[in-house]
Amino acid sequence: VRILLARALYGKPDNLLLDEPTNDLDMEAVMWLENYLANYENTVLVVSHDRHFLDSVCTHTVDIDYNKVTLFAGNYTFWYESSQLALRQLQNQNKKAEEKRAELLDFIARFSANAAKSRQATSRKKMLEKINIEEIKPSSRRYPGIVFTMDREPGNIILEVNDLSASVEGEVLFQNVSFNIEKGDKVAFLSRDPRAMTALFEIINGNRKADSGKFTWGVTITPAYLPLDNSSFFNTDLNLVDWLMQFSPETNEVYIKSYLGKMLFSGEEALKKANVLSGGEKVRCMLSRMMLKNANVLMLDQPTNHLDLESITAVNNGLKDYKSVILFSSHDHQFVQTIANRIIDIKAD
């Protein structure tokens, strides 16, 4: 990606068209690109799911919805907050109009046959004709319902890591890493090499052996893990209801479908085969699997990968509201800023 960016930026072109330029970049590279584009004097058209990046770079936002393309002045957050405010105002306006309409209809029904009140009833009929209830078009955007809960509070001992080291084909990813995770921690793991963060998560989840060192989970801990590579979970032709039922203590189909519905798999969508899902659909299924566990420690390796902005926002809000320990890696600046209360930087030396 860095090479492709260098090629695109070389010679200072008059216009830049960038499709998801922050994908696979570490946070330092993303920040450099933000600064470069913010000071770039020519036109930039960019598609991105990184909200902080859009806010830093964009002066205008193009909204594609209702099969229409609309241009707004302002960055992503300004557009999002303005659109939500406009929707709430329209909903409140419609609610008041409906209440007024019901009041007028009640008066007309009660007094239209009353000679003494006939003029007032006629007046209210005219008022009724002037009441306008705006149509609220359903947006094409859909937000998953992501709520993480836990069956039991964790104890005071969460995770102890001592002198952990890992390498791949002789290349050191990290060595002699030690840290303790405490109750209430929401920790973002950062590294210039994303393989280091993935190796760490795989080791503490028991999926990979460390070169040296050890780790210990507290006896009260029930973890749930979202791996970076989820492909092994979907090598099956099970439909989504049967797929998710594998991970649930509750085998009631209605119960399982309710979790799929929260993740936007409703009706026939819930009967799709697991092996034909897109990258974003797989992540949403894995998040459903996590929610079913009611765990008291959540671990997520790059959870925003493959997700659209609506799903990223839903995951972000769900993790902010979660009342227990979170360990996660992300290159999404806003994700880290709004969730983490600790940062652990994983280095090779």
Side-chain angles (χ1 to χ4, degrees):
V1 174
R2 291 199 301 269
I3 291 171
L4 289 172
L5 279 172
R7 180 185 175 196
L9 301 178
Y10 180 75
K12 297 183 179 180
D14 293 334
N15 302 287
L16 284 174
L17 177 58
L18 305 173
D19 187 4
E20 298 287 357
T22 64
N23 280 7
D24 301 314
L25 293 181
D26 60 40
M27 197 167 289
E28 290 180 7
V30 172
M31 291 176 66
W32 178 88
L33 184 59
E34 285 178 3
N35 292 331
Y36 180 90
L37 294 178
N39 294 309
Y40 185 71
E41 295 180 352
N42 297 322
T43 303
V44 179
L45 300 179
V46 61
V47 176
S48 178
H49 290 154
D50 187 323
R51 296 159 295 171
H52 187 274
F53 179 80
L54 292 174
D55 282 349
S56 300
V57 171
C58 298
T59 60
H60 292 73
T61 300
V62 174
D63 178 29
I64 303 175
D65 202 3
Y66 311 120
N67 296 319
K68 292 171 58 179
V69 177
T70 310
L71 177 65
F72 294 87
N75 61 19
Y76 171 78
T77 295
F78 182 81
W79 164 81
Y80 177 77
E81 293 178 350
S82 298
S83 63
Q84 294 300 302
L85 176 61
L87 177 60
R88 288 194 298 271
Q89 288 175 335
L90 183 55
Q91 289 171 335
N92 290 335
Q93 178 182 314
N94 279 358
K95 182 180 178 182
K96 290 178 181 177
E98 289 281 9
E99 290 171 351
K100 184 64 176 176
R101 186 172 183 274
E103 178 187 320
L104 293 173
L105 285 170
D106 179 64
F107 186 93
I108 293 167
R110 289 167 56 196
F111 299 111
S112 59
N114 187 322
K117 300 278 190 176
S118 62
R119 292 183 64 183
Q120 294 180 44
T122 300
S123 174
R124 280 165 172 74
K125 287 180 182 178
K126 292 179 180 179
M127 293 171 63
L128 187 62
E129 292 172 359
K130 294 179 180 179
I131 290 180
N132 183 34
I133 297 174
E134 294 285 342
E135 178 187 3
I136 300 178
K137 298 178 182 178
S139 174
S140 61
R141 295 187 183 86
R142 298 188 298 166
Y143 290 82
I146 297 177
V147 179
F148 295 106
T149 58
M150 54 183 168
D151 282 336
R152 64 182 294 188
E153 286 276 342
N156 291 326
I157 298 176
I158 308 296
L159 173 65
E160 296 179 353
V161 173
N162 295 294
D163 295 324
L164 214 60
S165 299
S167 60
V168 56
E169 297 179 352
E171 182 183 354
V172 175
L173 298 177
F174 57 83
Q175 58 184 357
N176 301 325
V177 169
S178 299
F179 58 84
N180 286 340
I181 302 298
E182 299 177 354
K183 197 171 182 178
D185 279 349
K186 293 187 176 183
V187 184
F189 289 84
L190 305 181
S191 176
R192 292 184 66 88
D193 187 345
R195 296 177 303 168
M197 296 182 293
T198 295
L200 177 64
F201 280 119
E202 288 291 297
I203 289 168
I204 63 177
N205 276 280
N207 299 331
R208 172 176 176 167
K209 288 187 177 181
D211 292 350
S212 61
K214 63 179 182 177
F215 65 93
T216 306
W217 287 102
V219 295
T220 63
I221 301 307
T222 54
Y225 176 42
L226 177 71
L228 179 65
D229 181 4
N230 57 39
S231 56
S232 63
F233 288 88
F234 297 95
N235 293 327
T236 173
D237 61 356
L238 290 174
N239 66 45
L240 294 189
V241 174
D242 292 335
W243 181 88
L244 189 58
M245 200 173 289
Q246 300 175 101
F247 311 109
S248 172
E250 173 61 66
T251 57
N252 182 285
E253 188 171 308
V254 174
Y255 178 80
I256 297 298
K257 283 184 174 180
S258 72
Y259 274 84
L260 289 170
K262 292 174 185 176
M263 303 309 291
L264 310 181
F265 298 104
S266 57
E268 292 298 316
E269 287 283 306
L271 300 178
K272 291 176 71 169
K273 300 293 185 181
N275 56 12
V276 301
L277 299 181
S278 68
E281 288 173 328
K282 288 178 180 178
V283 174
R284 284 190 272 126
C285 283
M286 294 295 287
L287 289 168
S288 290
R289 174 178 174 269
M290 288 186 76
M291 289 193 291
L292 278 169
K293 295 195 73 172
N294 293 323
N296 55 24
V297 171
L298 302 180
M299 289 172 283
L300 308 98
D301 190 4
Q302 299 291 344
T304 62
N305 281 9
H306 306 295
L307 294 181
D308 56 28
L309 275 170
E310 291 73 37
S311 297
I312 290 171
T313 301
V315 176
N316 200 157
N317 292 337
L319 294 179
K320 281 197 300 183
D321 294 338
Y322 182 61
K323 304 303 181 186
S324 193
V325 175
I326 302 173
L327 312 178
F328 72 100
S329 67
S330 180
H331 293 155
D332 186 313
H333 199 122
Q334 186 168 341
F335 214 77
V336 173
Q337 279 189 327
T338 56
I339 296 170
N341 58 21
R342 282 182 66 189
I343 303 290
I344 294 179
D345 188 9
I346 305 296
K347 296 181 179 179
D349 50 12

